[in-house]
Amino acid sequence: MKLRKVTAASAAVLALALSATACGGDDKDASGGSGSSGGEKIKIGIKYDQPGIGLKEPDGSFSGFDVDVATYVAKQLGYDADQIEFVETKSADRENALARGDVKFIVASYSINDERKQKVDFAGPYLLAHQDLLVKADADIAKGADLNGKNLCSVTGSTSAQNVKDKIAPKANLREYSGYSECVAGLQSGAVDALTTDDSILAGFAAQDKYKGQFKLVGEKLSNENYGIGVKKGDTATVDKINTALEKMVSDGSWEKAVDANFGPANYENEPAPKIGVVVK
Ligand code: GLU
């Protein structure tokens, strides 16, 4: 028998796709924002610039843990991968995108918190990450407080930027950009001394070929970031369906496969799968 050579990552993604196909749901739902499409497409919000989490590749395809979670959940809701239309939802745009109905749901490193719960509903959590710092490999920044007086980058509308102002380093010069790739460029050029956000995101950047050896994660667990899937406020039917899908993704092994495929190359040591409905404070 002739075997096609596949990388570990693509084999895992293939396995994920096959297992998703094997147990696809059939309750086709109305798509978010597409109105007359008759439920044929579903719009899902993701990040476009977070390697390992949500990334739009140069060829127009998408990769990352959130992309795999979104694809699995969509399948359970009755949508094949080719019926998904991914839409970029930057950190500061997520609540509005859901309120406007631009997307049916958002899988975009979206931490569940009380402030956001006023505006949107969350399914999950499906991943527990922690806020950390990314600095140049030779930098002597070892903890959050070392950032006071330093230039620190984070993204507008993120919990990371808020935490810096409120507790981690109130005297840091916080530069808020609209995306993480801008912060990484600033770190490389020396415009900022550190970038702070979830360790899951930072590990993905640090492992990119173009940055290999240049940066290090400090290793501080500055917060608990419980990633949820954001849904329009009041759409409890979709929350329930997504929660059922997430439980299945864990129990059939697809969650672990997606973790290995996406975080393995970045050497990111993830926390175990969270329990649905249990947010770690
Ligand atoms: N998980 C954090 C948040 O939801 C930071 C990552 C992001 O900006 O998406 O704000």
Side-chain angles (χ1 to χ4, degrees):
M1 189 173 82
K2 236 186 194 169
L3 282 179
R4 202 161 55 91
K5 206 175 158 218
V6 289
T7 62
S10 64
V13 169
L14 186 67
L16 177 66
L18 288 175
S19 60
T21 311
C23 49
D26 55 5
D27 55 341
K28 199 151 285 190
D29 225 339
S31 64
S34 56
S36 62
S37 73
E40 274 179 21
K41 287 259 177 193
I42 185 166
K43 291 188 180 177
I44 304 177
I46 58 164
K47 292 293 183 67
Y48 275 16
D49 73 339
Q50 295 179 183
I53 302 269
L55 187 70
K56 185 170 185 185
E57 306 279 2
D59 67 1
S61 63
F62 299 94
S63 71
F65 184 67
D66 281 350
V67 171
D68 288 350
V69 170
T71 306
Y72 187 98
V73 168
K75 183 75 192 169
Q76 297 301 307
L77 267 57
Y79 298 88
D80 289 331
D82 61 4
Q83 290 175 282
I84 298 173
E85 190 182 322
F86 286 117
V87 175
E88 183 176 31
T89 43
K90 290 184 169 239
S91 298
D93 299 337
R94 293 174 289 202
E95 289 81 23
N96 286 338
L98 288 171
R100 283 192 304 260
D102 292 353
V103 290
K104 184 74 175 170
F105 58 84
I106 292 183
V107 194
S109 60
Y110 199 6
S111 300
I112 301 170
N113 69 20
D114 290 343
E115 202 185 323
R116 291 172 177 167
K117 280 201 287 190
Q118 308 287 316
K119 298 179 183 160
V120 304
D121 284 339
F122 284 103
Y126 65 93
L127 189 77
L128 175 61
H130 305 281
Q131 187 172 351
D132 197 0
L133 307 168
L134 188 72
V135 296
K136 283 226 167 111
D138 57 0
D140 58 356
I141 293 173
K143 55 187 186 310
D146 293 345
L147 296 165
N148 283 317
K150 294 246 168 38
N151 294 329
L152 175 64
C153 198
S154 201
V155 165
T156 313
S158 67
T159 50
S160 330
Q162 198 57 46
N163 287 340
V164 170
K165 288 189 234 174
D166 292 350
K167 39 191 184 208
I168 297 168
K171 295 205 180 97
N173 306 316
L174 183 62
R175 306 266 184 270
E176 288 189 50
Y177 295 167
S178 68
Y180 291 99
S181 42
E182 288 100 311
C183 281
V184 175
L187 187 59
Q188 198 178 28
S189 74
V192 296
D193 301 298
L195 154 58
T196 186
T197 189
D198 309 337
D199 47 12
S200 46
I201 300 170
L202 298 175
F205 276 115
Q208 278 201 309
D209 277 344
K210 58 182 172 184
Y211 299 128
K212 273 236 161 84
Q214 293 187 44
F215 305 133
K216 66 180 178 195
L217 272 78
V218 169
E220 289 274 273
K221 286 188 179 7
L222 298 166
S223 69
N224 291 323
E225 303 294 326
N226 298 266
Y227 287 7
I229 297 186
V231 171
K232 190 176 195 153
K233 185 98 194 130
D235 188 358
T236 47
T238 301
V239 169
D240 290 347
K241 283 182 203 165
I242 295 175
N243 279 337
T244 303
L246 289 173
E247 263 159 4
K248 189 163 179 177
M249 187 174 185
V250 174
S251 66
D252 73 9
S254 302
W255 186 91
E256 201 66 48
K257 278 183 197 139
V259 159
D260 291 348
N262 293 293
F263 296 137
N267 281 326
Y268 175 62
E269 282 179 29
N270 63 285
E271 301 273 4
K275 293 236 175 324
I276 298 300
V278 179
V279 171
V280 180
K281 290 280 179 193

